Amino acid sequence: MKKLLLGLFFISLSFSLYAAETASEILKKTISIISPEMFEAQIKMTYLRSDGTTAKYAVILKNKRYTRSLVTFEEPEREKGRQVLRIEENLWTYLPKTKKILSVSFDSDFMGGDFSNQDIVRLNLLEDYTPEIKKETTNQYILDLISIGKGFAYAKIRFWVRKKDYMPLQAYYFSRSGNPLKKLVYKELKNFKGFIRPAIYEMTNLAENTKTYLEFTSFKKVTQLSDAVFYKENLGK
Amino acid sequence: MMRKIFLLLFLIFPCFLAGQKTIPDLLDEVPDNVGEMKNTDAPSTNFEKIKTGEIYQEKQLSFQGLILGTWNYKDQFNSNEDSDSKNFTTEINLIFQLKPSPLFQCFTDFGGKSYTQGDQNNSPLQKDHLVTNEIYFSSQLGHFNFNLGKKRLVIGSGTLLTPLDIFNPQKALPGQQIQKEGRYLAGMNFTQLYNSKTFSQLFADLVFYPEITQDENGLLQEMKFENNDFLLRLGGVFSAHEVTLFFFHRWEENWFGVSYSRYLTSNVELHLESLLFFHRKPVLKNIYTSLNKKLYQNTLLGIKYFLLSKMILTLDYYYQSDGLDSEEWDQATASPFIKQLTLFYLANQGTLYQRIPNLTLRRHYILGNVSYNNLWDYLNLNLSVILNPEDSATLLLPKIDYLPSANTSIGLGALLLPGKSGNHYESFGFDYMLIFDLNISF
């Protein structure tokens, strides 16, 4: 009897390990599509205000190994040259008019839209969250990503992935109290010179019922990106 | 009675439940909006069509321009007829950046400024001039960056004031023109990034400022190497702690600085900036000629709190040990004549030293700032307060910026000095100043 129980224990353990590995593998494949290790992207951000009007921003995002990011504003004209730099767990903004570099919070919203600084430059789903398969349907995996600590903006992310090619489809972001905060819908598959990924992100703020669109007008997966791009000394240059 | 309470609860409870947000189950398949690759694409949203596969290329030559118009009106509350004055400044900035490779970059910032001042008694005074704010070359060689030319270098991170400001260009307080003009320097920076959360970067700067004579347009006329200034900066980021140490040699004296910041939680930052020196700052040294040689320290300690993801609250305590105590201030203003001399001296110091010297003459200051950006997406709100508890000198700076279009902002604000009679902010010579500014970027 003891041996039977021991056997069952090891079988269930190996099954759960296999399941965790599978969730992790699925997530890795999806992340390699939406955020490869190094890339440069040109993004247009459109914020739909509650009164029906829109605010538009254009930025260039450079990302290296999920720990270094640089955002440079191209539009609107009054924000041109503004930069946001992330190195590991630190975030700074460079203000070109005063030439000042100020530290900022990851939780602040990104230029008044529904994306936070964290969503743009920090969200590292591979290292900061533990994935598990919540449900598997005919065409989709539904994953739950649970944050590994308390210092993250979202305690849980529910993530829908297309089975056949691991394309991300949708994500729900939850607070620590379990309330859904935001909903992200991935849209419009595009071929960026051989790299195929969704070109539009639609983020809905569920509390305020506002929407922000990120439209990738350019995406370049690169194999080398100099560290000098992310030096504080080079902000404004 | 109990029945009534139960009946009431019975009626209220369903209403309460109806008011609660229902959390969706979210375990069903979702619509596939990603779709398949198409050769001809009709975007599902109202955006311009995305050019398939376009790759971003870094610009080698970039240009940016700014037109700034500022109008100020100063007066006193119990004014006589001729106490008011008006200033109107228009400024055009043209910024060019040539970046053929990281090995060679050239940055120039030219400006033209027209300044008109008028009051009841005198005919308007007008000054026009062209100025070269910045013109420098920069080169990146591995971990080293070299800068040569006229450049604005801003150190310290305090929002309103920091002890390190005495080495910076003018603060951008409402109603004050931003001093964009840099200094001629030769600088070298070393930066090393590490793939570690506990020690993520190390940086060091060595900056040499030769003594320069400039022409009226801010261009180099003559260079001497007798009274040179130096800046040595060494810093790093250790986990969430950012520490920078400074050594300055300026005004023929040595100054030691330290700057520290870290996030206590994801939205609360603690910061400290301190400056140590063995003599009073030039602006204070001559008001009260105390010859006591001791170590002075000016320190700013405060927190920055990010609230509701849009609002930033800053609260700082600024201690200035070389500031004037009550006895010294009384001596500096002992009679109307001495007071006039002191104020005249302070006004003159503005051109060569700290641009607004009368902001921090005393020892203790409480600084507060609240800013709320993108309110209804059209407005930026800002309120700054500087308070000296020793003589109740108070400075309030409320300002609203309206953003009507992508390249324009219109600002309306005031600089108010509501402190008690006799406080040291009376040295400003006005009780209130109304500010209107217009920024157009192109």
Side-chain angles (χ1 to χ4, degrees):
Chain A
M1 189 62 187
K2 255 184 170 178
K3 280 182 183 172
L4 183 67
L5 283 174
L6 204 63
L8 280 172
F9 171 74
F10 279 114
I11 287 167
S12 63
L13 185 68
S14 60
F15 181 77
S16 63
L17 283 175
Y18 172 76
E21 192 180 48
T22 308
S24 177
E25 281 303 313
I26 295 165
L27 187 63
K28 266 185 195 165
K29 285 173 182 166
T30 305
I31 296 300
S32 70
I33 295 168
I34 52 178
S35 182
E37 201 174 59
M38 282 183 244
F39 67 86
E40 295 177 358
Q42 202 166 22
I43 303 169
K44 281 187 179 173
M45 189 168 97
T46 306
Y47 177 32
L48 301 186
R49 295 164 172 152
S50 44
D51 64 0
T53 58
T54 59
K56 291 187 176 182
Y57 298 94
V59 300
I60 295 162
L61 169 65
K62 296 181 180 184
N63 196 62
K64 187 173 183 179
R65 293 198 193 98
Y66 313 116
T67 56
R68 292 162 200 176
S69 304
L70 178 71
V71 179
T72 306
F73 282 80
E74 292 202 311
E75 291 173 22
E77 289 292 344
R78 67 168 178 270
E79 299 290 351
K80 196 173 177 180
R82 182 179 178 139
Q83 291 183 303
V84 178
L85 173 69
R86 181 244 169 145
I87 306 276
E88 298 285 352
E89 300 306 306
N90 296 277
L91 191 68
W92 299 273
T93 186
Y94 168 77
L95 307 171
K97 282 180 188 167
T98 54
K99 302 246 168 189
K100 211 158 193 190
I101 300 169
L102 301 173
S103 66
V104 286
S105 160
F106 281 108
D107 290 352
S108 301
D109 65 19
F110 190 76
M111 301 308 293
D114 297 304
F115 287 87
S116 67
N117 285 326
Q118 181 138 245
D119 296 329
I120 304 288
V121 298
R122 187 178 187 273
L123 209 55
N124 186 350
L125 301 182
L126 284 177
E127 285 190 8
D128 297 345
Y129 290 85
T130 308
E132 63 176 71
I133 297 176
K134 195 71 184 169
K135 193 177 173 185
E136 193 177 331
T137 67
T138 318
N139 302 307
Q140 296 171 9
Y141 294 112
I142 303 170
L143 307 180
D144 265 1
L145 314 181
I146 312 295
S147 70
I148 56 168
K150 286 185 178 176
F152 303 103
Y154 311 112
K156 186 178 89 173
I157 301 170
R158 183 154 295 173
F159 206 65
W160 282 258
V161 176
R162 191 160 73 182
K163 264 185 170 176
K164 66 175 182 183
D165 52 6
Y166 301 98
M167 277 297 156
L169 296 175
Q170 183 176 288
Y172 259 86
Y173 298 87
F174 290 86
S175 68
R176 206 149 291 283
S177 57
N179 287 322
L181 301 170
K182 294 176 184 176
K183 177 186 169 187
L184 176 62
V185 177
Y186 296 90
K187 293 182 168 180
E188 304 266 336
L189 210 58
K190 294 284 169 190
N191 185 345
F192 294 96
K193 291 268 193 236
F195 189 77
I196 296 168
R197 72 185 306 281
I200 292 174
Y201 294 4
E202 179 192 279
M203 181 70 98
T204 306
N205 184 326
L206 298 168
E208 295 175 19
N209 201 25
T210 50
K211 278 187 180 174
T212 301
Y213 290 90
L214 287 192
E215 180 190 10
F216 288 79
T217 52
S218 160
F219 195 94
K220 188 179 175 184
K221 186 179 168 183
V222 292
T223 50
Q224 277 201 327
L225 198 52
S226 167
D227 271 355
V229 169
F230 305 99
Y231 290 172
K232 274 173 84 179
E233 165 67 19
N234 285 336
L235 289 173
K237 289 182 183 169
Chain B
M1 180 65 187
M2 283 299 280
R3 277 178 71 182
K4 278 184 183 171
I5 291 171
F6 277 120
L7 195 64
L8 194 65
L9 284 173
F10 179 74
L11 288 172
I12 289 172
F13 192 63
C15 299
F16 174 75
L17 284 181
Q20 290 293 299
K21 276 184 192 169
T22 51
I23 299 172
D25 184 35
L26 302 175
L27 277 172
D28 294 330
E29 278 199 4
V30 293
D32 185 341
N33 292 298
V34 172
E36 304 299 331
M37 275 299 304
K38 294 174 236 171
N39 289 329
T40 53
D41 35 31
S44 59
T45 55
N46 296 325
F47 297 117
E48 296 162 24
K49 195 171 172 180
I50 300 170
K51 289 174 191 167
T52 303
E54 185 192 347
I55 295 297
Y56 155 73
Q57 293 290 332
E58 195 105 39
K59 282 179 192 163
Q60 293 197 337
L61 177 66
S62 59
F63 164 75
Q64 204 177 340
L66 175 73
I67 297 172
L68 174 65
T70 311
W71 176 87
N72 293 338
Y73 176 83
K74 297 179 202 171
D75 205 352
Q76 294 173 342
F77 287 121
N78 301 314
S79 63
N80 50 28
E81 282 181 3
D82 57 357
S83 64
D84 66 328
S85 72
K86 304 177 195 79
N87 296 329
F88 183 68
T89 310
T90 47
E91 190 176 348
I92 297 176
N93 261 110
L94 302 174
I95 299 163
F96 296 93
Q97 199 167 6
L98 180 67
K99 212 173 175 179
S101 81
L103 280 176
F104 178 83
Q105 293 181 41
C106 179
F107 189 94
T108 58
D109 178 341
F110 300 105
K113 199 184 256 187
S114 173
Y115 175 81
T116 311
Q117 183 180 23
D119 56 40
Q120 296 281 356
N121 300 328
N122 302 311
S123 57
L125 169 75
Q126 183 159 355
K127 284 182 194 170
D128 301 314
H129 72 287
L130 295 171
V131 66
T132 307
N133 293 316
E134 290 190 293
I135 178 161
Y136 67 88
F137 302 96
S138 179
S139 181
Q140 184 76 44
L141 288 167
H143 294 290
F144 291 92
N145 190 281
F146 301 92
N147 293 303
L148 183 66
K150 190 177 186 181
K151 186 176 190 298
R152 266 171 82 200
L153 186 65
V154 180
I155 55 169
S157 58
T159 311
L160 273 174
L161 298 168
T162 130
L164 305 175
D165 268 344
I166 62 168
F167 306 103
N168 282 333
Q170 184 183 347
K171 298 295 289 185
L173 289 174
Q176 303 285 341
Q177 284 298 300
I178 298 171
Q179 175 57 264
K180 293 180 175 173
E181 199 173 346
R183 289 186 71 192
Y184 282 92
L185 58 84
M188 183 179 77
N189 167 272
F190 169 84
T191 304
Q192 169 83 57
L193 301 184
Y194 298 94
N195 293 317
S196 161
K197 281 188 180 179
T198 47
F199 184 34
S200 57
Q201 61 176 297
L202 179 73
F203 51 88
D205 287 279
L206 179 60
V207 185
F208 167 70
Y209 300 91
E211 193 182 359
I212 293 289
T213 311
Q214 297 181 160
D215 66 12
E216 59 180 4
N217 298 324
L219 289 168
L220 180 64
Q221 215 167 32
E222 195 186 348
M223 183 157 47
K224 292 178 194 166
F225 296 97
E226 288 154 16
N227 298 312
N228 307 309
D229 293 340
F230 298 94
L231 161 64
L232 182 63
R233 179 164 60 170
L234 179 68
V237 181
F238 313 92
S239 188
H241 309 264
E242 185 176 358
V243 184
T244 313
L245 302 172
F246 302 88
F247 167 72
F248 304 89
H249 180 80
R250 194 162 185 193
W251 299 294
E252 298 176 22
E253 303 285 357
N254 295 329
W255 312 72
F256 301 89
V258 60
S259 168
Y260 169 82
S261 70
R262 75 151 293 176
Y263 273 85
L264 301 173
T265 67
S266 64
N267 55 0
V268 178
E269 184 213 53
L270 172 76
H271 51 255
L272 177 139
E273 284 181 5
S274 194
L275 187 68
L276 305 170
F277 45 100
F278 300 94
H279 42 80
R280 281 189 145 144
K281 294 198 298 280
V283 70
L284 296 167
K285 193 158 61 177
N286 294 332
I287 293 180
Y288 181 80
T289 51
S290 165
L291 296 175
N292 50 342
K293 289 182 182 176
K294 61 171 188 173
L295 178 68
Y296 293 98
Q297 58 104 356
N298 293 353
T299 299
L300 178 101
L301 176 67
I303 55 165
K304 187 158 60 175
Y305 178 42
F306 292 82
L307 182 67
L308 301 172
S309 77
K310 287 176 193 284
M311 187 186 275
I312 304 172
L313 306 170
T314 313
L315 188 64
D316 296 319
Y317 169 61
Y318 182 37
Y319 173 66
Q320 183 173 244
S321 79
D322 77 328
L324 305 178
D325 63 21
S326 299
E327 188 191 336
E328 290 168 336
W329 175 249
D330 290 345
Q331 284 185 35
T333 56
S335 70
F337 176 69
I338 294 174
K339 190 176 180 181
Q340 283 304 314
L341 273 183
T342 303
L343 298 183
F344 181 70
Y345 168 75
L346 285 172
N348 277 338
Q349 288 288 307
T351 56
L352 108 127
Y353 176 61
Q354 196 179 356
R355 301 311 198 283
I356 317 170
N358 34 2
L359 264 183
T360 51
L361 294 177
R362 307 296 297 266
R363 295 203 166 178
H364 304 275
Y365 290 89
I366 294 164
L367 317 172
N369 185 263
V370 185
S371 63
Y372 193 111
N373 289 334
N374 298 302
L375 177 68
W376 303 310
D377 304 303
Y378 304 109
L379 297 177
N380 289 341
L381 308 182
N382 194 78
L383 174 66
S384 302
V385 182
I386 301 175
L387 172 69
N388 170 253
E390 290 158 291
D391 64 4
S392 91
T394 308
L395 188 143
L396 287 172
L397 305 164
K399 191 159 186 268
I400 297 175
D401 286 297
Y402 172 58
L403 315 172
S405 70
N407 64 347
T408 308
S409 76
I410 299 167
L412 190 61
L415 194 155
L416 308 168
L417 304 167
K420 284 181 193 166
S421 175
N423 75 70
H424 68 283
Y425 283 171
E426 283 191 353
S427 59
F428 279 91
F430 60 89
D431 290 336
Y432 67 91
M433 177 163 72
L434 304 177
I435 302 147
F436 171 81
D437 61 47
L438 171 71
N439 280 268
I440 302 169
S441 307
F442 57 92

